[in-house]
Amino acid sequence: MFRRNVLTGVLLLAILVGGGFARAGELLITASTIPGFDPGMIIEGSQTVSVSKGHKLSLISPTGKVVNITGPYDGVLDPSVSDKNKSKLLTALSILVSGDGKDSTQLGAIRDAASARGRDPFRIDVTANGAQCAIEGKPVTLWMPRGAPLDKVWMERKGSSDAAVVRWPAGESEQPWPKSLAVNDGATYQLLLQPAKKETELLLRVVPAGVVGNKALLAAAMGERGCDSQAIAVLQTPDK
């Protein structure tokens, strides 16, 4: 509950102050192969580091700026930052990335799911239960990442008669969300995967389009809505 309250407060504050995080001089580690520099740590952008050959370090600022370092490297993490103000946004993301409050099994499953998403964090995994996020005003894509052959997916919005059938051609990993089924924020959709007869339950959350331009805010918005693996995938997806 504490983690969700922190993220909710951060998003509200971001809406109220707009670019109020732009001066923060801290960076959040999103990925690292360096001992002692763990994902979820917050460090000063003005800090000098030595990264040996073969090691990598990825960080993000409160403004959404991504810093990727590949060794050998010896210098300041991000020369463009100097202010030492605390960033509540990075604190919230640190809780998300470090898995605070989760055991190692839960955190491992979330990180594995994030890695499996590859370069597209926004696809809806039809094999997964729980909350997943879509972006306001953007097409929603259904995704079959693994498992038994899939012929069709029956979908029904819980508590209503709204339903649809998604035909799934052999060899395809994605299909568009059915046009006959409304995309409703906070709605629960029951899915039946055929022929495996696997049932899943999706809680769909819609993220405001206004945060998409800032990776940090986008990940926080997803984390606040319970879409943890997608949020981590956003932070780990390379810029195009």
Side-chain angles (χ1 to χ4, degrees):
M1 180 63 70
F2 171 75
R3 182 172 72 87
R4 297 296 179 214
N5 288 342
V6 169
L7 289 170
T8 301
V10 165
L11 291 176
L12 178 59
L13 182 61
I15 292 171
L16 292 175
V17 304
F21 298 123
R23 295 182 60 244
E26 293 180 323
L27 300 169
L28 171 74
I29 298 175
T30 57
S32 170
T33 63
I34 306 171
F37 286 78
D38 300 322
M41 286 180 59
I42 298 175
I43 56 180
E44 293 293 336
S46 58
Q47 180 174 331
T48 299
V49 297
S50 293
V51 181
S52 58
K53 184 178 181 179
H55 283 281
K56 296 181 179 181
L57 186 64
S58 296
L59 312 98
I60 191 168
S61 77
T63 63
K65 178 182 178 181
V66 175
V67 178
N68 292 312
I69 296 175
T70 301
Y73 176 85
D74 191 357
V76 175
L77 282 170
D78 185 2
S80 68
V81 298
S82 59
D83 193 285
K84 296 183 182 295
N85 291 336
K86 279 283 185 182
S87 167
K88 292 182 179 180
L89 176 59
L90 289 193
T91 300
L93 291 179
S94 175
I95 294 170
L96 173 69
V97 174
S98 65
D100 186 35
K102 293 183 172 63
D103 61 35
S104 58
T105 300
Q106 290 175 308
L107 182 57
I110 291 171
R111 288 178 174 171
D112 287 346
S115 297
R117 288 183 173 275
R119 291 179 174 270
D120 188 350
F122 308 114
R123 297 177 294 185
I124 301 298
D125 183 351
V126 297
T127 68
N129 288 291
Q132 296 188 64
C133 286
I135 304 299
E136 179 186 23
K138 298 292 185 181
V140 181
T141 299
L142 301 175
W143 174 48
M144 175 66 175
R146 61 193 177 280
L150 184 61
D151 292 338
K152 67 182 74 169
V153 177
W154 296 83
M155 300 181 65
E156 180 177 281
R157 184 161 64 89
K158 197 171 182 178
S160 78
S161 59
D162 297 342
V165 178
V166 179
R167 307 287 177 180
W168 212 284
E172 296 291 333
S173 62
E174 300 177 358
Q175 289 297 307
W177 183 278
K179 294 181 180 179
S180 59
L181 198 60
V183 175
N184 292 335
D185 179 39
T188 297
Y189 298 84
Q190 295 174 313
L191 280 64
L192 175 62
L193 281 57
Q194 296 281 23
K197 295 184 179 180
K198 176 181 174 62
E199 296 182 9
T200 57
E201 193 166 276
L202 162 69
L203 171 60
L204 189 66
R205 300 307 314 272
V206 178
V207 176
V211 302
V212 172
N214 182 324
K215 274 190 175 183
L217 285 178
L218 175 57
M222 286 183 154
E224 185 270 328
R225 288 163 173 78
C227 309
D228 291 2
S229 69
Q230 288 176 288
I232 293 174
V234 163
L235 293 174
Q236 295 177 346
T237 301
D239 290 336
K240 296 181 180 178

